[in-house]
């Protein structure tokens, strides 16, 4: 499972929450886009021409050393890859409006729930493996009284990152033709008291 395939699955699901002019409960976002930089007011103002906005960003991962998982010394490292969605509102008239919404405009908490509703536990599958996006936490971001209110919703996807492939040591057993041992072992017969 590649980073690009995870990002594509997350963005496709998130894009379904965007509208083309008519806001609804299922499609509350006027803008759904990707973002690659830090969350700053300047970046937000540059990227967002419309609000409410949902911006998807890949946050990176921390790969911990793994220990051999088999008698052949093979390892499998699983790493939590991080993504986040910045949910942003412009011009909330009060803290109540920003949090709860008003006059047909959803508040921040409603928008967070909508993002969770399409991404939390989202299956991300490939031919080799399957994983799910898991909601981790959300935190307030960039609040600037009565102008912009935003929150970051964070997700993780567990995956096995690419690694060097080692050749197997020895030859695998394809069959066992001995009664008590590996291929080529002498055939033996059990003797019990019942045979007498």
């Amino acid at each position: 499972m590649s980073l690009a395939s995870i990002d594509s699955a997350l963005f496709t699901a998130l894009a379904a929450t965007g509208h083309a002019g008519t806001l609804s409960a299922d499609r509350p976002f006027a803008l759904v886009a990707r973002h690659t930089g830090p969350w700053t007011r300047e970046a937000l103002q540059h990227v967002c021409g419309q609000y409410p906005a949902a911006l998807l960003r890949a946050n990176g991962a921390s790969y911990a050393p793994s220990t051999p998982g088999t008698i052949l010394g093979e390892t499998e490292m699983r790493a939590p890859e991080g993504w986040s969605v910045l949910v942003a509102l412009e011009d909330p008239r009060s803290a109540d409006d920003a949090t709860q919404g008003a006059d047909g405009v959803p508040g921040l908490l409603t928008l967070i729930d909508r993002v969770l509703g399409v991404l939390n536990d989202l299956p991300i599958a490939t031919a080799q493996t399957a994983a799910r996006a898991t909601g981790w936490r959300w935190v307030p971001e960039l609040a600037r009284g009565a102008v912009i209110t935003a929150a970051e919703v964070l997700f993780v996807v567990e995956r096995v990152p690419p690694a060097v492939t080692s050749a197997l040591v020895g030859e695998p057993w394809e069959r066992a033709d001995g009664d008590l041992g590996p291929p080529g072992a002498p055939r033996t017969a059990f003797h019990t008291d019942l045979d007498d």
Side-chain angles (χ1 to χ4, degrees):
M1 177 184 347
S2 68
L3 290 172
S5 66
I6 297 171
D7 187 80
S8 179
L10 293 173
F11 188 77
T12 298
L14 188 62
T17 65
H19 66 77
T22 304
L23 182 146
S24 69
D26 288 338
R27 295 178 172 268
F29 293 105
L31 174 69
V32 177
R34 285 184 173 93
H35 186 64
T36 57
W39 301 130
T40 64
R41 293 186 185 97
E42 294 74 19
L44 197 61
Q45 290 169 345
H46 178 72
V47 172
C48 296
Q50 299 171 299
Y51 292 90
L55 303 178
L56 178 69
R57 182 182 73 181
N59 289 337
S62 178
Y63 300 112
S66 56
T67 57
T70 70
I71 59 173
L72 297 178
E74 297 171 316
T75 61
E76 182 178 270
M77 178 189 304
R78 297 192 69 84
E81 306 280 357
W83 268 263
S84 60
V85 176
L86 188 76
V87 174
L89 294 170
E90 185 185 41
D91 195 28
R93 285 160 288 181
S94 69
D96 289 342
D97 293 336
T99 304
Q100 294 291 330
D103 299 331
V105 178
L108 194 63
L109 298 180
T110 299
L111 295 173
I112 290 169
D113 271 346
R114 186 66 190 121
V115 169
L116 287 168
V118 297
L119 295 185
N120 191 28
D121 207 32
L122 178 72
I124 299 171
T126 66
Q128 295 80 27
T129 187
R132 291 184 179 272
T134 305
W136 175 33
R137 65 176 182 157
W138 70 268
V139 293
E141 281 282 350
L142 301 173
R144 192 176 76 181
V147 179
I148 294 174
T149 299
E152 182 180 27
V153 188
L154 296 103
F155 295 88
V156 294
V157 177
E158 290 276 340
R159 77 165 186 142
V160 178
V164 174
T165 303
S166 301
L168 292 177
V169 178
E171 296 182 9
W173 285 6
E174 294 182 357
R175 62 187 181 88
D177 57 9
D179 289 337
L180 298 176
R187 293 186 179 274
T188 59
F190 291 103
H191 178 77
T192 68
D193 292 338
L194 297 175
D195 295 332
D196 295 333

